[in-house]
Amino acid sequence: MEVPTALIVLEVNLAFQVYDLIATLLLSELRSTTMVAHHVVAGGAAYLVLESQDESLAFLQLHSLFFFGITELSTIPLAIHDGLKKCPQLLEASFILNTINEISKPLFALSFLFIRVFWWALVALPIILTGKLPAAVAFALVFMTGLQWMWGYKIVLILVSVLTAKATPPPSEAGVAEATPVVAEHTAVVLEPTKND
C-alpha cells in the first residue's frame, strides 16, 4: 500500500536533507557534529522508508507525513527569525519587520515544544515500542527523538532564563536606580535612571 502524498513528502525531505547536509559541511557557522548527524540520519531514514519494499512497513509512509512534514511547521518561525536577524538595519527601520521577528522567537519555541517534543513523543514512542522496525529505522527514530528532546530541553532553559530575567527587579545602589533601560524597541527610546528621593 503506497501513500502518494507521503512519497512526495519523503522525496522533498530527502532532497532538503541532502542540500542542508552540503550547506552544513560547507558553511562553518552551520557546521557541528550534531547537525551533520541530524541531516545524515534524517536523510537516511527518509531514504529507507522511500525504498522499503516490505509491505509490513507501509505504515511508516503514513507516519512520515508527521515526521517529515508536520514537524517542519516549527521550522517556519525559526527560518523567519534567522533570515531577519541577518538584516539588523531593516529591523531597526521597520516596526513591522521587528514585530514579526519578535513574534517569531516565542512562536518557534512554543511550536517546537508542542510539535517536536510533546506530539513527537506521542507518535514515536508507540512505533518504537512495536518492535517491528528494521534496526536502521529504529536507530534513526530513537536518535531523532533524542535530538528533539535535547533541543527541547535547551529551549526550556532559554525560556526560563528569559522569563526569570524579566521578572527579576533591577538592583539599586545608594538610592539611584541602576541603568534599567526600558526600551520601546520600535522607537529605540531609553529612559534614563532616576534618583529616589
Side-chain angles (χ1 to χ4, degrees):
M1 167 185 101
E2 284 192 351
V3 183
T5 305
L7 296 176
I8 293 168
V9 167
L10 284 162
E11 289 167 349
V12 168
N13 197 278
L14 176 57
F16 172 74
Q17 295 301 335
V18 169
Y19 159 80
D20 228 6
L21 175 61
I22 292 168
T24 300
L25 292 171
L26 293 177
L27 301 172
S28 60
E29 66 267 18
L30 299 178
R31 194 176 313 126
S32 74
T33 305
T34 303
M35 290 312 296
V36 170
H38 167 268
H39 296 307
V40 168
V41 172
Y47 178 78
L48 288 171
V49 175
L50 263 172
E51 295 301 314
S52 176
Q53 301 299 317
D54 186 347
E55 283 295 317
S56 68
L57 298 178
F59 72 98
L60 291 176
Q61 287 182 15
L62 287 172
H63 288 295
S64 68
L65 292 170
F66 173 76
F67 292 115
F68 296 100
I70 291 172
T71 59
E72 295 301 331
L73 292 174
S74 69
T75 305
I76 295 169
L78 177 63
I80 291 169
H81 169 64
D82 280 347
L84 288 174
K85 77 179 180 184
K86 299 209 185 288
C87 308
Q89 295 86 3
L90 282 176
L91 290 175
E92 287 179 25
S94 173
F95 171 74
I96 293 172
L97 289 179
N98 188 53
T99 301
I100 290 169
N101 185 51
E102 291 304 312
I103 290 170
S104 70
K105 292 185 275 186
L107 188 58
F108 163 69
L110 295 174
S111 65
F112 188 96
L113 291 173
F114 177 73
I115 295 171
R116 292 189 178 233
V117 176
F118 177 71
W119 194 359
W120 181 291
L122 290 176
V123 176
L125 294 177
I127 296 169
I128 293 167
L129 295 174
T130 64
K132 294 180 181 180
L133 298 175
V137 175
F139 168 80
L141 191 50
V142 169
F143 177 81
M144 295 300 289
T145 300
L147 278 182
Q148 306 313 309
W149 289 352
M150 178 191 74
W151 289 328
Y153 176 73
K154 288 181 178 187
I155 290 170
V156 167
L157 291 179
I158 291 167
L159 286 173
V160 167
S161 123
V162 166
L163 293 173
T164 56
K166 288 184 178 178
T168 305
S172 62
E173 253 180 22
V176 177
E178 291 291 315
T180 315
V182 178
V183 181
E185 294 184 25
H186 61 284
T187 58
V189 173
V190 179
L191 301 178
E192 295 295 326
T194 58
K195 284 188 178 183
N196 293 335
D197 293 335

